Every structure is written in structure tokens, then in C-alpha cells.
Amino acid sequence: MHSCYVGETGCPFGCLGCGDCVAACQFGALHMNPETGLPEVDEAKCTSCGKCVKACPRGIIELRKKGIDGAKMVVLCNNKEKGAIARKNCKNACIGCGKCQTVCGFDAVKVENNLAYIDADKCALCRECEAACPTGAIHALNLPALAKNAAPAAPASVETAPEKDGSTFDPVCAAIIRSLPTKRAQYPYLQTLAQKK
């Protein structure tokens, strides 16, 4: 699966909206959104051939693993300028502050050249990086919206943390839950994703 990382109009690292990627796609997996003027990917049609990656004049399209049910965390920015300059070009630019890297308990986020990158193989979809990002450059794709004011749950172990239906957490999910004991109420989707692995 590939994702198009785009900035706001005027960003020197953002999408030009020229449609070269759409023209290069032989599978009809890309189309231009008429409202935003930006390319969008139909994951069901995408074969990951990479032709759109080569066609992009700004080099902002890259191939990414799909993840379970297409769920993943991504940094929707490709701006490698320093913080102040990046923010001048785009209010949602990654400023390389490192807050996302600091809160990640899975070593999935790295900041290099003033830009955060999330390793899908290490990411546990806990969304701590999304919450920590001061500019909103990090987004959850194909995941439910977080509860605004989810009540924190009491810390619990795998053996004593039954779901409402009486089942216990899957071990994969349990590892995530143990690392975020007070966030359990915010991440019920992790149970479902863990069972699909």
C-alpha cells in the first residue's frame, strides 16, 4: 500500500496536484480529489507497483505496508526544514521536536533530518505519538477516532483483565495494554486488531 504525504498549498515539500501519479497508475488506484486537489489511493486497487512513486516530481509518495485492516500511524509531512521554517510554510508541518519519539514505548518513531518517521514493523498502534504531536502532523489511518475524555482504567494484568464478554486479552494486545495501563479505555480497537494477526 502506498500513502501520499502532502503539505498545504505553498509548502515547498507538498503535492503540486499535477496528477502525474494518477496518469502513471495503470490500475485505476489513484484519483484526484476534486475538493482538495490532491491524489488519493484506492487501497483495494493498488498493486504496489511503484510507478506513482517514480512519477511524483517531488518524491513525496512512498510504498508502505498495509498493516492489519490497513491500520497504521503515519507522519503526513515530508518537510525536512528546521521547525520554524517548516511551520512558516505549513501549520501542520513536522517540526522535528522529538516529542513523538520520546513518548513511543516501542522504539517505532525516529526523528532524523528534522522529520519524524514511524516504523510500521515496530508500531503497536497505541497512538501516543499522535497525541503528543504539537502540530497534528501524525495521523492514524483506518483506526477509529479516540474517545475525547475516556475514563482511565485501573492497571490490570492479562490474567485479571477480562473483557465485558468474559474473554481475556490476546497476548499481543496484552503487551500493548500492559505498557499503557491507564489508557486501556481509549484503545478497545487493539483487542480486535490483535486477534486478526
Side-chain angles (χ1 to χ4, degrees):
M1 197 302 275
H2 57 275
S3 299
C4 183
Y5 299 139
V6 297
E8 291 188 347
T9 304
C11 175
F13 296 92
C15 176
L16 296 168
C18 63
D20 288 357
C21 54
V22 175
C25 182
Q26 299 172 346
F27 304 97
L30 278 163
H31 70 275
M32 296 302 285
N33 181 317
E35 291 181 24
T36 64
L38 301 173
E40 290 183 353
V41 180
D42 181 342
E43 294 183 25
K45 295 180 180 178
C46 178
T47 64
S48 300
C49 69
K51 289 187 178 178
C52 59
V53 175
K54 293 176 185 170
C56 180
R58 289 247 169 111
I60 59 173
I61 300 176
E62 73 179 75
L63 295 173
R64 289 277 183 105
K65 289 185 179 181
K66 279 191 176 184
I68 303 165
D69 284 347
K72 63 182 151 269
M73 299 301 300
V74 295
V75 180
L76 293 180
C77 181
N78 202 37
N79 193 337
K80 294 178 181 158
E81 298 286 354
K82 291 189 177 180
I85 298 169
R87 278 303 287 264
K88 189 174 183 181
N89 289 319
C90 173
K91 66 180 180 180
N92 297 117
C94 174
I95 56 175
C97 66
K99 289 181 180 182
C100 51
Q101 183 173 328
T102 302
V103 300
C104 181
F106 302 93
D107 195 35
V109 184
K110 295 289 181 221
V111 177
E112 293 178 359
N113 298 317
N114 304 310
L115 185 63
Y117 186 84
I118 301 171
D119 184 338
D121 291 329
K122 294 180 179 180
C123 180
L125 302 174
C126 70
R127 301 173 80 167
E128 290 295 307
C129 57
E130 181 183 28
C133 181
T135 65
I138 299 177
H139 293 265
L141 298 182
N142 299 317
L143 288 171
L146 285 178
K148 292 281 185 199
N149 295 313
S157 68
V158 180
E159 297 76 27
T160 60
E163 286 290 289
K164 289 180 183 176
D165 64 2
S167 64
T168 55
F169 287 111
D170 177 280
V172 175
C173 183
I176 298 167
I177 299 300
R178 277 199 303 271
S179 70
L180 301 162
T182 61
K183 300 284 186 179
R184 182 175 163 215
Q186 291 182 12
Y187 307 116
Y189 63 86
L190 291 174
Q191 170 75 15
T192 305
L193 290 175
Q195 290 172 345
K196 291 182 180 182
K197 276 193 172 183

